[in-house]
Amino acid sequence: MTRVGAIPPPRRPGAYRLGFVCLGNICRSPMADTVMRARVDEAGLSGHVVVDSCGTGGWHVGEAMDHRAASSLLAAGYDPSGHRGQQLDDGWFETHDLLLAMDRSNLEGLGGRGERVHLFRDHDPVGTGGEVPDPYYGGEQGFEEVLAMVERTCASLVDALQCTPGLR
Ligand code: 4NP
């Protein structure tokens, strides 16, 4: 079992690669991706940490984020416009230092927990080990809840990255 907050060491010198994984890559993982990029910039880690996201399913490859996810990000001061959907493939396990699954079913899609595969909320200081619920079929409120989980969990991931030797 992974210690809360601990992240694996980089595979190789250079940038640390973080990937967020959900089902469709239009709601939860793009929200985490967008917020994490902003936090990485603020922390002065641009160029040292590379962030992206994908879905285990391929229905939304090439598409922009869900409009409700984009609206909640915009309202909170983030820029969701750059997102385009991607699908997980075997290459992600080679290129990424850490893959973070938004829920348990996404974690299963990644083959389960491992040194470089965690549940996103393993790093959430509130409700550690929980899931980020899929907001796709619900209302706006679901997206606000996802954003709150994502903001505090990304802050704790930045703390962990700042403690990672060799990142600066
Ligand atoms: P996400 O939400 O996994 O948070 O991006 C979903 C988006 C689309 C679908 C399911 C979940 N879908 O079935 O198309």
Side-chain angles (χ1 to χ4, degrees):
M1 186 69 181
T2 310
R3 183 168 66 78
V4 172
I7 59 170
R11 289 173 184 276
R12 48 186 82 86
Y16 195 95
R17 289 204 62 180
L18 267 184
F20 300 101
V21 183
C22 63
L23 178 60
N25 194 218
I26 50 169
C27 299
R28 292 165 295 173
S29 64
M31 290 176 76
D33 183 343
T34 303
V35 169
M36 191 65 190
R37 285 173 197 236
R39 292 284 178 278
V40 162
D41 278 358
E42 284 161 18
L45 289 171
S46 309
H48 300 279
V49 179
V50 174
V51 180
D52 61 1
S53 63
C54 67
T56 56
W59 313 283
H60 301 289
V61 170
E63 292 180 14
M65 211 179 292
D66 180 281
H67 66 95
R68 298 161 299 174
S71 298
S72 47
L73 286 168
L74 271 172
Y78 300 97
D79 175 10
S81 65
H83 177 74
R84 293 295 175 271
Q86 305 191 86
Q87 185 174 18
L88 178 73
D89 65 30
D90 288 345
W92 284 66
F93 295 92
E94 302 299 321
T95 48
H96 287 69
D97 295 295
L98 180 59
L99 296 174
L100 293 155
M102 306 311 281
D103 70 21
R104 285 179 205 288
S105 136
N106 310 145
L107 187 66
E108 272 176 41
L110 287 163
R113 263 198 187 79
E115 189 199 8
R116 295 190 186 275
V117 178
H118 296 181
L119 201 54
F120 177 72
R121 292 191 66 201
D122 288 347
H123 300 274
D124 184 349
V126 180
T128 302
E131 300 184 285
V132 181
D134 190 344
Y136 186 66
Y137 295 105
E140 305 287 337
Q141 180 63 29
F143 288 85
E144 297 308 316
E145 284 164 12
V146 170
L147 183 59
M149 288 175 189
V150 159
E151 286 190 310
R152 63 183 188 242
T153 303
C154 287
S156 109
L157 283 167
V158 166
D159 289 346
L161 286 161
Q162 278 172 327
C163 296
T164 299
L167 270 199
R168 282 200 198 241

